[in-house]
């Protein structure tokens, strides 16, 4: 039987490979492209949020799942 200490390198390399592959797939393939659409009447919404000082990064609006 093979000990765990002999398998640490293959385990580490496979974990790094899976992480990199899943990151590339997530960024390259357009599976989630339609998840974020423009908000109806976005100009009015942004005019209402601007005085509150909310940073633009925190104002994502995901599309409802249908």
């Amino acid at each position: 039987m093979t000990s765990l200490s002999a398998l640490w390198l293959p385990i580490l390399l496979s974990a790094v490979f899976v992480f990199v592959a899943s990151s590339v797939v997530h960024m390259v393939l357009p599976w989630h492209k339609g998840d974020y659409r423009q908000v109806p009447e976005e100009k009015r919404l942004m005019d209402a949020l601007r005085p509150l000082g909310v940073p633009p990064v925190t104002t994502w609006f995901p599309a409802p799942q249908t």
Side-chain angles (χ1 to χ4, degrees), residues 46 54-60:
M46 292 308 293
V54 179
V57 177
T58 61
T59 57
W60 285 17

Side-chain angles (χ1 to χ4, degrees), residues 8-57:
W8 72 269
L9 186 59
I11 291 170
L12 181 65
L13 289 177
S14 63
V16 169
F17 175 76
V18 168
F19 176 77
V20 170
S22 67
S23 297
V24 168
V25 166
H26 181 74
M27 289 185 278
V28 172
L29 297 178
W31 287 337
H32 299 287
K33 193 170 228 162
D35 288 352
Y36 295 95
R37 295 185 220 125
Q38 187 172 4
V39 176
E41 301 187 34
E42 183 177 2
K43 184 177 177 346
R44 284 184 50 207
L45 176 67
M46 292 308 293
D47 289 341
L49 290 176
R50 217 170 266 116
L52 301 175
V54 179
V57 177

Side-chain angles (χ1 to χ4, degrees), residues 1-11:
M1 179 157 209
T2 307
S3 67
L4 184 61
S5 61
L7 295 175
W8 72 269
L9 186 59
I11 291 170

